[in-house]
Amino acid sequence: MLIYTGGTIGMIENPETGALENFNFEQLQKHVPELQKFTFPIDSYQFDPPMDSSDMEPEAWRKLVHVISEHYHQYTGFVILHGTDTMAFTASALSFMLEGLDKPVILTGSQLPIGVLRTDGKENLMTSIEIASARDRSGNPMVPEVCIFFENRLMRGNRTTKMSAENFNAFRSFNYPVLAEAGIHIKYNNVQIHIEGEKRELHPHYLLDTNIAILKLFPGIQENVVAATLAIEGLKAVVLETYGSGNASRKEWFLRRLRDASERGVVIVNVTQCSAGTVEMERYETGYHLLKAGIVSGHDSTTESAVTKLMFLLGHGYSPDEVRRRMNESMAGEISIDLSK
C-alpha cells in the first residue's frame, strides 16, 4: 500500500503556470511507468488535502497509524511518501505507535519533485516498494520495521536525522548502522534488523501528549530563558540538548532551576547536540551534576526520537518516575543500552 501524505516527491510542475502542484495516483503512474513492472498490485491512499511536512502534527501520525492498522492484513508492506523536513519525527513516532509491527513501513520522499528530470524521487520510490515487498526464503519480511529509505540507504526510522536541505543524501543514521544498501543489488544488514522470534500481533496506539519543550544550550544562555522554558504552563517534559557527552554549565542557578523542575515532576531528558555519540553523564563532573539534579540520560537517542518517545509515554499517563525509567529502556531499537553495566 502506497500512502501519500504530501511533500516534494508528490509535486508535479504545471506546464502552463510553472507552479508545483500535488499529484494524484494516476499522475504518479504516468510519471513513473516503471510501477507497472512490479508483479504485485499497488493500492494507494492519499491525504486530502496533502500536507506539507512542516504542518505534520500528532493528528497526522494518528491518521497514518489508523490507515495502516485498518489495512494491515491486506498488504505485505507499506510505503509512506512524506515531506523530508519532519520525516524523522514521523518515523520515530510510528515506531512507538505501531507496537508489534512485523511488516515493513518505509518512509521516503525526495529533494526534487517526481516530475523533474533530475528527480531523486523515482529511485527512492521504486526501491522503497521493492524493500517493502521483500521476503526471505521462509517467506518472512526482510525488514519488519519502521524505516526511512533515502539515496540508496535504508535506515531505522527512530535513528535517523535530516542533515541536508541541499544534497540528495539528506538523511543520516549516525549512531546505528544502516539496515540495507541499494546498489545493483539490495544488500541487507540482517544482524542489525530487528526481527522477533515469534509471530506478533499489531497493537496500534493513538495516545500522545505534546506538553514538551526542547531547550538547546549555548554559551551565555540567560537564566530568564531557562526559567521561562521550565515555567511553561502544563509542561511535562523537556528534551535538554547539551554539549558533547552530556555536559552543561555548573552555574548554581542553572542546576537549581533544573532540580526544581525535576522535583515538580517535569521529566528532563539529556541528549547531545552532537550528530554522533552518546550521553555519558558519569564521564565528566559537569554531566554528573546534571545526574544529581534529577536529569535522565537520553543515551544515543536523536532529538526526534526523544521528543516522540516522551509524547508516547506521557500520553499513556505514566508517572514522571515511570517515564524516566522507560526512557532508559529501548522500546523500538531507538537507543543503545549496554546491559553489562
Side-chain angles (χ1 to χ4, degrees), residues 266-278:
V266 177
V267 178
I268 305 175
V269 179
N270 184 355
V271 301
T272 177
Q273 295 180 18
C274 300
S275 297
T278 188

Side-chain angles (χ1 to χ4, degrees), residues 90-101:
T90 298
S92 296
L94 293 182
S95 75
F96 303 123
M97 297 170 75
L98 294 169
E99 182 186 356
L101 181 72

